[in-house]
Amino acid sequence: QGSAKSTTARVLRSLVDPNVAPLRTTPRDERDLAIAAHNSWILSFDNLSGVPPWLSDALCRVATGGGFATRTLYEDNQETIFDYIRPVAVNGIDEIVTRHDLLDRSLVITLPVISDEKRQDEETFWAAFEEAQPRILGALLDAVSTGLARWESTKLDAMPRMADFARWVTAAEAALPWEAGGFMAAYAGNRSDAVSLALEADCVAVAITGLLEKRPSFEGTATELLETLESYVPEQTRNTRAWPKTPRTLSNRLRRAATFLRQTGTALEFDREPGGHRRRVIRLSRKASVPSVPSVPKGPGSPMYQGLQGGTQETQNRDATEVVPSPASRQRPAREADRIGVWDDRDVRDDETQLSSKGDEDELPW
């Protein structure tokens, strides 16, 4: 409170997407969100107290590309299709976003509180901004021009989540006010903060951390794991809606948290035991945590900066959080689940994929 959250969001949008109503309340449903994305270049939602699950999933699709189809008005058999990919800014006093998949697409910015001595009235502030706005837009266009020129020659040693976004900012870095490699260092630190925030807000992840502090590993079914974890959480937590009540729900929650748990040194594996019964098992263990090292760009005019470590940034005034899901190109990077063989949050079903015919099996890699 008092950190100019709304003004900051209004300024950001007015630079590239001026609108008579730059800040909006949350949409009622996904149809309204799709219409807003179709008619705007940036979505900005003001003063939220949280993000419901359906909106969190929808914002993931907006940030990385998605579509929505609905029946055309006054038609019985015609569809209107919305296809969009947009950056989104949301602001609020609370920890707005806590679900892992949306946090993994986000930049979390904590704004400092403005003291009474430095606060300005709106007339003074907006007059100064309107004077500076053309120069700010010009600097942004210089960065875009630089990014376009260096896109093909910019390579990252390792691709983080939102890989195209990371590569794009790195390509534009020569026209931005920091040294080469500075963005990836800051991005790695911001992602580390997001991981910590998500795990602290997830009672299942907290219980798993407590379990592995007492014992080096666990192997068993989801039912056995649920019974074991209940001894590591207080009764009041077990009685809340946040705590999974069934093994299936626990399994789904683990798959959603799998990526962030691995980043903090928790090895998580879903498997089936050999033999006739083929019991589904979950394996948990602690492993050595590997610090996140940002990639250094390689290309003409880009000196190598070695030893950049992504660390947790100091955050103050936690009551003023900006969460900005970042844009990416329509060509999505490979999902981590495809590399490690574990369903992610979009595939939280427990049943195995069924082959439709023997012919399908011939096309698969087993």
Side-chain angles (χ1 to χ4, degrees), residues 100 199 202-218 225-226 228-233 243-244 250-251 253-255 257-258 261-262 264-270 282-286:
H100 303 258
L199 295 181
D202 189 337
C203 57
V204 172
V206 171
I208 288 175
T209 301
L211 169 66
L212 295 180
E213 287 176 352
K214 299 294 184 180
R215 52 195 290 186
S217 63
F218 171 88
L225 179 58
L226 182 59
T228 303
L229 290 179
E230 286 180 348
S231 61
Y232 290 89
V233 294
W243 183 254
L250 174 63
S251 180
R253 291 280 295 277
L254 286 177
R255 289 187 171 97
L261 285 171
R262 291 189 181 94
T264 59
T266 299
L268 173 61
E269 181 182 355
F270 298 87
I282 298 172
R283 298 187 182 94
L284 297 168
S285 62
R286 295 293 295 175

mmCIF file of all heavy atoms in Angstrom, residues 100 199 202-218 225-226 228-233 243-244 250-251 253-255 257-258 261-262 264-270 282-286:
data_model
loop_
_atom_site.group_PDB
_atom_site.id
_atom_site.type_symbol
_atom_site.label_atom_id
_atom_site.label_comp_id
_atom_site.label_asym_id
_atom_site.label_seq_id
_atom_site.Cartn_x
_atom_site.Cartn_y
_atom_site.Cartn_z
ATOM 1 N N HIS A 100 2.034 -22.709 -9.068
ATOM 2 C CA HIS A 100 3.374 -22.881 -9.605
ATOM 3 C C HIS A 100 3.466 -22.535 -11.086
ATOM 4 O O HIS A 100 4.432 -21.910 -11.524
ATOM 5 C CB HIS A 100 3.830 -24.324 -9.398
ATOM 6 C CG HIS A 100 3.803 -24.757 -7.968
ATOM 7 N ND1 HIS A 100 4.933 -24.839 -7.191
ATOM 8 C CD2 HIS A 100 2.777 -25.111 -7.152
ATOM 9 C CE1 HIS A 100 4.617 -25.246 -5.973
ATOM 10 N NE2 HIS A 100 3.308 -25.414 -5.922
ATOM 11 N N LEU A 199 6.623 -22.544 -3.043
ATOM 12 C CA LEU A 199 6.746 -23.675 -2.129
ATOM 13 C C LEU A 199 6.291 -23.308 -0.719
ATOM 14 O O LEU A 199 5.704 -24.128 -0.008
ATOM 15 C CB LEU A 199 8.191 -24.174 -2.107
ATOM 16 C CG LEU A 199 8.691 -24.771 -3.432
ATOM 17 C CD1 LEU A 199 10.118 -25.254 -3.293
ATOM 18 C CD2 LEU A 199 7.793 -25.904 -3.902
ATOM 19 N N ASP A 202 2.549 -23.600 -0.541
ATOM 20 C CA ASP A 202 2.000 -24.920 -0.838
ATOM 21 C C ASP A 202 2.191 -25.811 0.384
ATOM 22 O O ASP A 202 3.313 -26.215 0.707
ATOM 23 C CB ASP A 202 2.715 -25.505 -2.052
ATOM 24 C CG ASP A 202 2.059 -26.788 -2.551
ATOM 25 O OD1 ASP A 202 1.366 -27.454 -1.757
ATOM 26 O OD2 ASP A 202 2.251 -27.123 -3.732
ATOM 27 N N CYS A 203 1.095 -26.151 1.069
ATOM 28 C CA CYS A 203 1.202 -26.957 2.291
ATOM 29 C C CYS A 203 1.740 -28.352 2.010
ATOM 30 O O CYS A 203 2.396 -28.956 2.863
ATOM 31 C CB CYS A 203 -0.136 -27.017 3.010
ATOM 32 S SG CYS A 203 -1.506 -27.668 2.027
ATOM 33 N N VAL A 204 1.493 -28.890 0.818
ATOM 34 C CA VAL A 204 2.024 -30.209 0.468
ATOM 35 C C VAL A 204 3.544 -30.141 0.333
ATOM 36 O O VAL A 204 4.274 -31.001 0.838
ATOM 37 C CB VAL A 204 1.388 -30.726 -0.835
ATOM 38 C CG1 VAL A 204 2.082 -32.008 -1.300
ATOM 39 C CG2 VAL A 204 -0.094 -30.984 -0.633
ATOM 40 N N ALA A 205 4.058 -29.098 -0.326
ATOM 41 C CA ALA A 205 5.507 -28.947 -0.474
ATOM 42 C C ALA A 205 6.169 -28.748 0.883
ATOM 43 O O ALA A 205 7.256 -29.279 1.139
ATOM 44 C CB ALA A 205 5.806 -27.765 -1.393
ATOM 45 N N VAL A 206 5.522 -27.986 1.767
ATOM 46 C CA VAL A 206 6.074 -27.782 3.117
ATOM 47 C C VAL A 206 6.140 -29.104 3.863
ATOM 48 O O VAL A 206 7.125 -29.410 4.557
ATOM 49 C CB VAL A 206 5.223 -26.750 3.886
ATOM 50 C CG1 VAL A 206 5.658 -26.690 5.353
ATOM 51 C CG2 VAL A 206 5.341 -25.373 3.246
ATOM 52 N N ALA A 207 5.088 -29.934 3.737
ATOM 53 C CA ALA A 207 5.075 -31.235 4.406
ATOM 54 C C ALA A 207 6.162 -32.154 3.856
ATOM 55 O O ALA A 207 6.817 -32.885 4.615
ATOM 56 C CB ALA A 207 3.704 -31.880 4.260
ATOM 57 N N ILE A 208 6.392 -32.133 2.542
ATOM 58 C CA ILE A 208 7.438 -32.973 1.938
ATOM 59 C C ILE A 208 8.813 -32.536 2.427
ATOM 60 O O ILE A 208 9.678 -33.373 2.733
ATOM 61 C CB ILE A 208 7.343 -32.900 0.409
ATOM 62 C CG1 ILE A 208 6.108 -33.659 -0.069
ATOM 63 C CG2 ILE A 208 8.594 -33.469 -0.250
ATOM 64 C CD1 ILE A 208 5.856 -33.546 -1.542
ATOM 65 N N THR A 209 9.015 -31.229 2.540
ATOM 66 C CA THR A 209 10.283 -30.737 3.070
ATOM 67 C C THR A 209 10.507 -31.229 4.486
ATOM 68 O O THR A 209 11.605 -31.672 4.853
ATOM 69 C CB THR A 209 10.313 -29.201 3.028
ATOM 70 O OG1 THR A 209 10.134 -28.759 1.672
ATOM 71 C CG2 THR A 209 11.633 -28.671 3.554
ATOM 72 N N GLY A 210 9.457 -31.180 5.319
ATOM 73 C CA GLY A 210 9.562 -31.683 6.683
ATOM 74 C C GLY A 210 9.846 -33.180 6.730
ATOM 75 O O GLY A 210 10.632 -33.648 7.559
ATOM 76 N N LEU A 211 9.214 -33.927 5.822
ATOM 77 C CA LEU A 211 9.434 -35.370 5.763
ATOM 78 C C LEU A 211 10.887 -35.698 5.448
ATOM 79 O O LEU A 211 11.514 -36.544 6.109
ATOM 80 C CB LEU A 211 8.510 -35.985 4.712
ATOM 81 C CG LEU A 211 8.762 -37.445 4.318
ATOM 82 C CD1 LEU A 211 8.500 -38.378 5.491
ATOM 83 C CD2 LEU A 211 7.899 -37.835 3.120
ATOM 84 N N LEU A 212 11.454 -35.020 4.440
ATOM 85 C CA LEU A 212 12.811 -35.326 4.011
ATOM 86 C C LEU A 212 13.864 -34.762 4.953
ATOM 87 O O LEU A 212 15.045 -35.101 4.837
ATOM 88 C CB LEU A 212 13.035 -34.814 2.588
ATOM 89 C CG LEU A 212 12.185 -35.509 1.517
ATOM 90 C CD1 LEU A 212 12.472 -34.921 0.139
ATOM 91 C CD2 LEU A 212 12.443 -37.011 1.505
ATOM 92 N N GLU A 213 13.477 -33.885 5.870
ATOM 93 C CA GLU A 213 14.401 -33.454 6.914
ATOM 94 C C GLU A 213 14.550 -34.523 7.981
ATOM 95 O O GLU A 213 15.561 -34.575 8.686
ATOM 96 C CB GLU A 213 13.908 -32.144 7.540
ATOM 97 C CG GLU A 213 14.088 -30.930 6.630
ATOM 98 C CD GLU A 213 13.503 -29.673 7.234
ATOM 99 O OE1 GLU A 213 12.828 -29.799 8.301
ATOM 100 O OE2 GLU A 213 13.703 -28.587 6.670
ATOM 101 N N LYS A 214 13.547 -35.391 8.112
ATOM 102 C CA LYS A 214 13.571 -36.443 9.124
ATOM 103 C C LYS A 214 14.102 -37.767 8.581
ATOM 104 O O LYS A 214 14.643 -38.575 9.326
ATOM 105 C CB LYS A 214 12.162 -36.659 9.683
ATOM 106 C CG LYS A 214 11.567 -35.429 10.376
ATOM 107 C CD LYS A 214 12.338 -35.078 11.639
ATOM 108 C CE LYS A 214 11.675 -33.914 12.363
ATOM 109 N NZ LYS A 214 12.406 -33.554 13.610
ATOM 110 N N ARG A 215 13.945 -37.983 7.289
ATOM 111 C CA ARG A 215 14.384 -39.236 6.690
ATOM 112 C C ARG A 215 14.932 -38.944 5.306
ATOM 113 O O ARG A 215 14.493 -38.006 4.635
ATOM 114 C CB ARG A 215 13.237 -40.237 6.620
ATOM 115 C CG ARG A 215 11.991 -39.687 5.974
ATOM 116 C CD ARG A 215 10.752 -40.542 6.219
ATOM 117 N NE ARG A 215 10.802 -41.800 5.500
ATOM 118 C CZ ARG A 215 9.766 -42.647 5.474
ATOM 119 N NH1 ARG A 215 8.644 -42.366 6.149
ATOM 120 N NH2 ARG A 215 9.848 -43.781 4.813
ATOM 121 N N PRO A 216 15.911 -39.736 4.838
ATOM 122 C CA PRO A 216 16.568 -39.390 3.573
ATOM 123 C C PRO A 216 15.713 -39.613 2.337
ATOM 124 O O PRO A 216 15.939 -38.977 1.302
ATOM 125 C CB PRO A 216 17.798 -40.316 3.557
ATOM 126 C CG PRO A 216 17.399 -41.482 4.414
ATOM 127 C CD PRO A 216 16.517 -40.912 5.487
ATOM 128 N N SER A 217 14.729 -40.521 2.410
ATOM 129 C CA SER A 217 13.955 -40.833 1.211
ATOM 130 C C SER A 217 12.615 -41.443 1.607
ATOM 131 O O SER A 217 12.387 -41.810 2.768
ATOM 132 C CB SER A 217 14.721 -41.796 0.295
ATOM 133 O OG SER A 217 14.937 -43.034 0.956
ATOM 134 N N PHE A 218 11.749 -41.537 0.610
ATOM 135 C CA PHE A 218 10.451 -42.188 0.785
ATOM 136 C C PHE A 218 10.118 -42.910 -0.505
ATOM 137 O O PHE A 218 10.342 -42.395 -1.604
ATOM 138 C CB PHE A 218 9.352 -41.172 1.111
ATOM 139 C CG PHE A 218 7.965 -41.758 1.089
ATOM 140 C CD1 PHE A 218 7.421 -42.333 2.228
ATOM 141 C CD2 PHE A 218 7.208 -41.778 -0.089
ATOM 142 C CE1 PHE A 218 6.155 -42.904 2.206
ATOM 143 C CE2 PHE A 218 5.949 -42.338 -0.111
ATOM 144 C CZ PHE A 218 5.420 -42.905 1.040
ATOM 145 N N LEU A 225 1.852 -42.260 1.115
ATOM 146 C CA LEU A 225 2.482 -40.956 1.262
ATOM 147 C C LEU A 225 1.546 -39.979 1.964
ATOM 148 O O LEU A 225 1.979 -39.202 2.825
ATOM 149 C CB LEU A 225 2.900 -40.404 -0.102
ATOM 150 C CG LEU A 225 3.553 -39.017 -0.095
ATOM 151 C CD1 LEU A 225 4.798 -38.997 0.772
ATOM 152 C CD2 LEU A 225 3.882 -38.566 -1.520
ATOM 153 N N LEU A 226 0.258 -40.014 1.594
ATOM 154 C CA LEU A 226 -0.706 -39.118 2.237
ATOM 155 C C LEU A 226 -0.783 -39.395 3.734
ATOM 156 O O LEU A 226 -0.792 -38.459 4.550
ATOM 157 C CB LEU A 226 -2.074 -39.275 1.582
ATOM 158 C CG LEU A 226 -3.196 -38.371 2.107
ATOM 159 C CD1 LEU A 226 -2.823 -36.901 1.954
ATOM 160 C CD2 LEU A 226 -4.504 -38.668 1.390
ATOM 161 N N THR A 228 1.554 -40.683 5.590
ATOM 162 C CA THR A 228 2.821 -40.279 6.194
ATOM 163 C C THR A 228 2.911 -38.774 6.365
ATOM 164 O O THR A 228 3.342 -38.269 7.406
ATOM 165 C CB THR A 228 3.998 -40.784 5.333
ATOM 166 O OG1 THR A 228 3.917 -42.198 5.197
ATOM 167 C CG2 THR A 228 5.331 -40.411 5.970
ATOM 168 N N LEU A 229 2.494 -38.034 5.331
ATOM 169 C CA LEU A 229 2.612 -36.573 5.382
ATOM 170 C C LEU A 229 1.705 -35.953 6.435
ATOM 171 O O LEU A 229 2.010 -34.866 6.944
ATOM 172 C CB LEU A 229 2.284 -35.978 4.008
ATOM 173 C CG LEU A 229 3.295 -36.225 2.886
ATOM 174 C CD1 LEU A 229 2.806 -35.594 1.588
ATOM 175 C CD2 LEU A 229 4.670 -35.676 3.244
ATOM 176 N N GLU A 230 0.609 -36.610 6.755
ATOM 177 C CA GLU A 230 -0.328 -36.029 7.717
ATOM 178 C C GLU A 230 0.295 -35.836 9.098
ATOM 179 O O GLU A 230 -0.169 -34.998 9.879
ATOM 180 C CB GLU A 230 -1.578 -36.902 7.813
ATOM 181 C CG GLU A 230 -2.482 -36.773 6.592
ATOM 182 C CD GLU A 230 -3.713 -37.633 6.689
ATOM 183 O OE1 GLU A 230 -3.755 -38.501 7.598
ATOM 184 O OE2 GLU A 230 -4.637 -37.457 5.863
ATOM 185 N N SER A 231 1.343 -36.587 9.382
ATOM 186 C CA SER A 231 2.012 -36.418 10.675
ATOM 187 C C SER A 231 2.979 -35.240 10.667
ATOM 188 O O SER A 231 3.545 -34.891 11.702
ATOM 189 C CB SER A 231 2.762 -37.695 11.053
ATOM 190 O OG SER A 231 3.770 -37.987 10.088
ATOM 191 N N TYR A 232 3.181 -34.621 9.505
ATOM 192 C CA TYR A 232 4.116 -33.500 9.401
ATOM 193 C C TYR A 232 3.408 -32.157 9.226
ATOM 194 O O TYR A 232 4.060 -31.153 8.966
ATOM 195 C CB TYR A 232 5.071 -33.728 8.220
ATOM 196 C CG TYR A 232 6.052 -34.850 8.459
ATOM 197 C CD1 TYR A 232 5.717 -36.160 8.119
ATOM 198 C CD2 TYR A 232 7.289 -34.615 9.049
ATOM 199 C CE1 TYR A 232 6.604 -37.207 8.341
ATOM 200 C CE2 TYR A 232 8.177 -35.651 9.283
ATOM 201 C CZ TYR A 232 7.832 -36.945 8.927
ATOM 202 O OH TYR A 232 8.701 -37.976 9.152
ATOM 203 N N VAL A 233 2.105 -32.151 9.337
ATOM 204 C CA VAL A 233 1.355 -30.897 9.249
ATOM 205 C C VAL A 233 0.409 -30.808 10.440
ATOM 206 O O VAL A 233 -0.083 -31.834 10.932
ATOM 207 C CB VAL A 233 0.551 -30.801 7.925
ATOM 208 C CG1 VAL A 233 1.479 -30.729 6.738
ATOM 209 C CG2 VAL A 233 -0.403 -31.968 7.775
ATOM 210 N N TRP A 243 -5.517 -28.757 1.944
ATOM 211 C CA TRP A 243 -4.870 -30.044 2.151
ATOM 212 C C TRP A 243 -5.589 -31.125 1.344
ATOM 213 O O TRP A 243 -6.812 -31.235 1.404
ATOM 214 C CB TRP A 243 -4.862 -30.416 3.622
ATOM 215 C CG TRP A 243 -4.139 -31.711 3.902
ATOM 216 C CD1 TRP A 243 -4.689 -32.911 4.223
ATOM 217 C CD2 TRP A 243 -2.728 -31.921 3.837
ATOM 218 N NE1 TRP A 243 -3.709 -33.852 4.369
ATOM 219 C CE2 TRP A 243 -2.485 -33.277 4.128
ATOM 220 C CE3 TRP A 243 -1.644 -31.094 3.542
ATOM 221 C CZ2 TRP A 243 -1.206 -33.822 4.151
ATOM 222 C CZ3 TRP A 243 -0.367 -31.638 3.563
ATOM 223 C CH2 TRP A 243 -0.157 -32.980 3.869
ATOM 224 N N PRO A 244 -4.861 -31.941 0.564
ATOM 225 C CA PRO A 244 -5.512 -32.982 -0.247
ATOM 226 C C PRO A 244 -6.171 -34.038 0.632
ATOM 227 O O PRO A 244 -5.584 -34.519 1.603
ATOM 228 C CB PRO A 244 -4.342 -33.568 -1.058
ATOM 229 C CG PRO A 244 -3.129 -33.239 -0.268
ATOM 230 C CD PRO A 244 -3.397 -31.935 0.402
ATOM 231 N N LEU A 250 -3.555 -35.730 -4.030
ATOM 232 C CA LEU A 250 -2.155 -35.570 -3.638
ATOM 233 C C LEU A 250 -1.236 -35.786 -4.834
ATOM 234 O O LEU A 250 -0.281 -35.018 -5.044
ATOM 235 C CB LEU A 250 -1.808 -36.555 -2.528
ATOM 236 C CG LEU A 250 -0.325 -36.600 -2.113
ATOM 237 C CD1 LEU A 250 0.106 -35.263 -1.540
ATOM 238 C CD2 LEU A 250 -0.076 -37.723 -1.127
ATOM 239 N N SER A 251 -1.508 -36.827 -5.616
ATOM 240 C CA SER A 251 -0.686 -37.096 -6.787
ATOM 241 C C SER A 251 -0.711 -35.931 -7.763
ATOM 242 O O SER A 251 0.317 -35.521 -8.310
ATOM 243 C CB SER A 251 -1.176 -38.379 -7.469
ATOM 244 O OG SER A 251 -0.403 -38.670 -8.605
ATOM 245 N N ARG A 253 -1.317 -32.779 -7.032
ATOM 246 C CA ARG A 253 -0.608 -31.651 -6.437
ATOM 247 C C ARG A 253 0.908 -31.835 -6.557
ATOM 248 O O ARG A 253 1.654 -30.864 -6.775
ATOM 249 C CB ARG A 253 -1.006 -31.535 -4.963
ATOM 250 C CG ARG A 253 -2.454 -31.087 -4.752
ATOM 251 C CD ARG A 253 -2.593 -29.576 -4.907
ATOM 252 N NE ARG A 253 -1.842 -28.898 -3.863
ATOM 253 C CZ ARG A 253 -2.296 -28.675 -2.631
ATOM 254 N NH1 ARG A 253 -3.516 -29.072 -2.290
ATOM 255 N NH2 ARG A 253 -1.570 -28.029 -1.745
ATOM 256 N N LEU A 254 1.383 -33.060 -6.406
ATOM 257 C CA LEU A 254 2.812 -33.320 -6.540
ATOM 258 C C LEU A 254 3.283 -33.056 -7.965
ATOM 259 O O LEU A 254 4.363 -32.495 -8.182
ATOM 260 C CB LEU A 254 3.123 -34.760 -6.148
ATOM 261 C CG LEU A 254 3.082 -35.091 -4.662
ATOM 262 C CD1 LEU A 254 3.329 -36.569 -4.441
ATOM 263 C CD2 LEU A 254 4.115 -34.270 -3.898
ATOM 264 N N ARG A 255 2.486 -33.457 -8.938
ATOM 265 C CA ARG A 255 2.874 -33.208 -10.329
ATOM 266 C C ARG A 255 2.921 -31.712 -10.629
ATOM 267 O O ARG A 255 3.763 -31.250 -11.404
ATOM 268 C CB ARG A 255 1.901 -33.924 -11.267
ATOM 269 C CG ARG A 255 2.057 -35.443 -11.245
ATOM 270 C CD ARG A 255 1.185 -36.099 -12.306
ATOM 271 N NE ARG A 255 1.496 -37.521 -12.413
ATOM 272 C CZ ARG A 255 0.813 -38.484 -11.820
ATOM 273 N NH1 ARG A 255 -0.225 -38.176 -11.063
ATOM 274 N NH2 ARG A 255 1.162 -39.742 -11.967
ATOM 275 N N ALA A 257 3.696 -29.396 -8.468
ATOM 276 C CA ALA A 257 4.826 -28.811 -7.748
ATOM 277 C C ALA A 257 6.164 -29.434 -8.128
ATOM 278 O O ALA A 257 7.199 -29.014 -7.619
ATOM 279 C CB ALA A 257 4.607 -28.958 -6.243
ATOM 280 N N ALA A 258 6.160 -30.437 -9.022
ATOM 281 C CA ALA A 258 7.364 -31.224 -9.292
ATOM 282 C C ALA A 258 8.543 -30.364 -9.738
ATOM 283 O O ALA A 258 9.666 -30.529 -9.265
ATOM 284 C CB ALA A 258 7.059 -32.301 -10.334
ATOM 285 N N LEU A 261 9.979 -28.284 -6.857
ATOM 286 C CA LEU A 261 10.616 -29.146 -5.862
ATOM 287 C C LEU A 261 11.987 -29.607 -6.341
ATOM 288 O O LEU A 261 12.947 -29.648 -5.563
ATOM 289 C CB LEU A 261 9.727 -30.354 -5.568
ATOM 290 C CG LEU A 261 8.492 -30.097 -4.701
ATOM 291 C CD1 LEU A 261 7.588 -31.321 -4.680
ATOM 292 C CD2 LEU A 261 8.902 -29.722 -3.275
ATOM 293 N N ARG A 262 12.092 -29.951 -7.611
ATOM 294 C CA ARG A 262 13.391 -30.383 -8.132
ATOM 295 C C ARG A 262 14.409 -29.256 -8.084
ATOM 296 O O ARG A 262 15.597 -29.492 -7.872
ATOM 297 C CB ARG A 262 13.231 -30.889 -9.566
ATOM 298 C CG ARG A 262 12.454 -32.194 -9.665
ATOM 299 C CD ARG A 262 12.500 -32.778 -11.070
ATOM 300 N NE ARG A 262 11.725 -34.003 -11.143
ATOM 301 C CZ ARG A 262 10.467 -34.078 -11.523
ATOM 302 N NH1 ARG A 262 9.837 -32.974 -11.892
ATOM 303 N NH2 ARG A 262 9.828 -35.241 -11.555
ATOM 304 N N THR A 264 14.758 -27.123 -5.845
ATOM 305 C CA THR A 264 15.230 -26.942 -4.477
ATOM 306 C C THR A 264 15.906 -28.193 -3.939
ATOM 307 O O THR A 264 16.155 -28.286 -2.736
ATOM 308 C CB THR A 264 14.063 -26.545 -3.551
ATOM 309 O OG1 THR A 264 13.053 -27.565 -3.595
ATOM 310 C CG2 THR A 264 13.461 -25.218 -3.978
ATOM 311 N N GLY A 265 16.196 -29.155 -4.810
ATOM 312 C CA GLY A 265 16.956 -30.313 -4.392
ATOM 313 C C GLY A 265 16.142 -31.516 -3.980
ATOM 314 O O GLY A 265 16.684 -32.441 -3.365
ATOM 315 N N THR A 266 14.858 -31.556 -4.292
ATOM 316 C CA THR A 266 14.025 -32.715 -3.990
ATOM 317 C C THR A 266 13.809 -33.533 -5.243
ATOM 318 O O THR A 266 13.232 -33.049 -6.220
ATOM 319 C CB THR A 266 12.661 -32.275 -3.419
ATOM 320 O OG1 THR A 266 12.861 -31.558 -2.201
ATOM 321 C CG2 THR A 266 11.782 -33.476 -3.141
ATOM 322 N N ALA A 267 14.304 -34.762 -5.231
ATOM 323 C CA ALA A 267 14.106 -35.667 -6.368
ATOM 324 C C ALA A 267 12.729 -36.304 -6.236
ATOM 325 O O ALA A 267 12.391 -36.870 -5.202
ATOM 326 C CB ALA A 267 15.189 -36.732 -6.389
ATOM 327 N N LEU A 268 11.934 -36.194 -7.288
ATOM 328 C CA LEU A 268 10.563 -36.706 -7.279
ATOM 329 C C LEU A 268 10.368 -37.575 -8.513
ATOM 330 O O LEU A 268 10.643 -37.158 -9.639
ATOM 331 C CB LEU A 268 9.566 -35.539 -7.284
ATOM 332 C CG LEU A 268 8.091 -35.871 -7.450
ATOM 333 C CD1 LEU A 268 7.600 -36.747 -6.304
ATOM 334 C CD2 LEU A 268 7.271 -34.581 -7.531
ATOM 335 N N GLU A 269 9.879 -38.794 -8.305
ATOM 336 C CA GLU A 269 9.718 -39.730 -9.412
ATOM 337 C C GLU A 269 8.416 -40.505 -9.245
ATOM 338 O O GLU A 269 8.082 -40.958 -8.150
ATOM 339 C CB GLU A 269 10.897 -40.714 -9.442
ATOM 340 C CG GLU A 269 10.838 -41.715 -10.578
ATOM 341 C CD GLU A 269 11.992 -42.703 -10.534
ATOM 342 O OE1 GLU A 269 12.885 -42.535 -9.671
ATOM 343 O OE2 GLU A 269 12.000 -43.633 -11.355
ATOM 344 N N PHE A 270 7.675 -40.629 -10.336
ATOM 345 C CA PHE A 270 6.476 -41.455 -10.395
ATOM 346 C C PHE A 270 6.808 -42.701 -11.211
ATOM 347 O O PHE A 270 7.371 -42.595 -12.299
ATOM 348 C CB PHE A 270 5.319 -40.704 -11.050
ATOM 349 C CG PHE A 270 4.891 -39.472 -10.294
ATOM 350 C CD1 PHE A 270 5.521 -38.252 -10.516
ATOM 351 C CD2 PHE A 270 3.863 -39.529 -9.376
ATOM 352 C CE1 PHE A 270 5.129 -37.117 -9.829
ATOM 353 C CE2 PHE A 270 3.474 -38.402 -8.677
ATOM 354 C CZ PHE A 270 4.108 -37.201 -8.908
ATOM 355 N N ILE A 282 5.515 -43.636 -5.638
ATOM 356 C CA ILE A 282 6.116 -42.302 -5.658
ATOM 357 C C ILE A 282 7.416 -42.389 -4.878
ATOM 358 O O ILE A 282 7.447 -42.910 -3.765
ATOM 359 C CB ILE A 282 5.179 -41.259 -5.028
ATOM 360 C CG1 ILE A 282 3.873 -41.158 -5.819
ATOM 361 C CG2 ILE A 282 5.863 -39.890 -4.961
ATOM 362 C CD1 ILE A 282 2.821 -40.297 -5.146
ATOM 363 N N ARG A 283 8.503 -41.875 -5.448
ATOM 364 C CA ARG A 283 9.799 -41.872 -4.787
ATOM 365 C C ARG A 283 10.235 -40.434 -4.527
ATOM 366 O O ARG A 283 10.215 -39.594 -5.429
ATOM 367 C CB ARG A 283 10.850 -42.591 -5.628
ATOM 368 C CG ARG A 283 10.545 -44.063 -5.860
ATOM 369 C CD ARG A 283 11.722 -44.758 -6.550
ATOM 370 N NE ARG A 283 11.407 -46.171 -6.804
ATOM 371 C CZ ARG A 283 10.909 -46.628 -7.944
ATOM 372 N NH1 ARG A 283 10.671 -45.779 -8.937
ATOM 373 N NH2 ARG A 283 10.651 -47.904 -8.098
ATOM 374 N N LEU A 284 10.641 -40.161 -3.294
ATOM 375 C CA LEU A 284 11.122 -38.852 -2.882
ATOM 376 C C LEU A 284 12.487 -39.011 -2.246
ATOM 377 O O LEU A 284 12.715 -39.946 -1.487
ATOM 378 C CB LEU A 284 10.164 -38.203 -1.881
ATOM 379 C CG LEU A 284 8.747 -37.890 -2.343
ATOM 380 C CD1 LEU A 284 7.879 -37.532 -1.146
ATOM 381 C CD2 LEU A 284 8.760 -36.746 -3.341
ATOM 382 N N SER A 285 13.394 -38.084 -2.528
ATOM 383 C CA SER A 285 14.701 -38.092 -1.884
ATOM 384 C C SER A 285 15.323 -36.716 -2.019
ATOM 385 O O SER A 285 14.900 -35.906 -2.856
ATOM 386 C CB SER A 285 15.615 -39.160 -2.497
ATOM 387 O OG SER A 285 15.845 -38.887 -3.870
ATOM 388 N N ARG A 286 16.307 -36.476 -1.190
ATOM 389 C CA ARG A 286 17.040 -35.217 -1.264
ATOM 390 C C ARG A 286 18.268 -35.408 -2.134
ATOM 391 O O ARG A 286 18.933 -36.430 -2.090
ATOM 392 C CB ARG A 286 17.489 -34.768 0.129
ATOM 393 C CG ARG A 286 16.354 -34.439 1.067
ATOM 394 C CD ARG A 286 15.586 -33.205 0.628
ATOM 395 N NE ARG A 286 16.395 -32.015 0.672
ATOM 396 C CZ ARG A 286 15.985 -30.818 0.250
ATOM 397 N NH1 ARG A 286 14.774 -30.682 -0.269
ATOM 398 N NH2 ARG A 286 16.768 -29.772 0.328
#
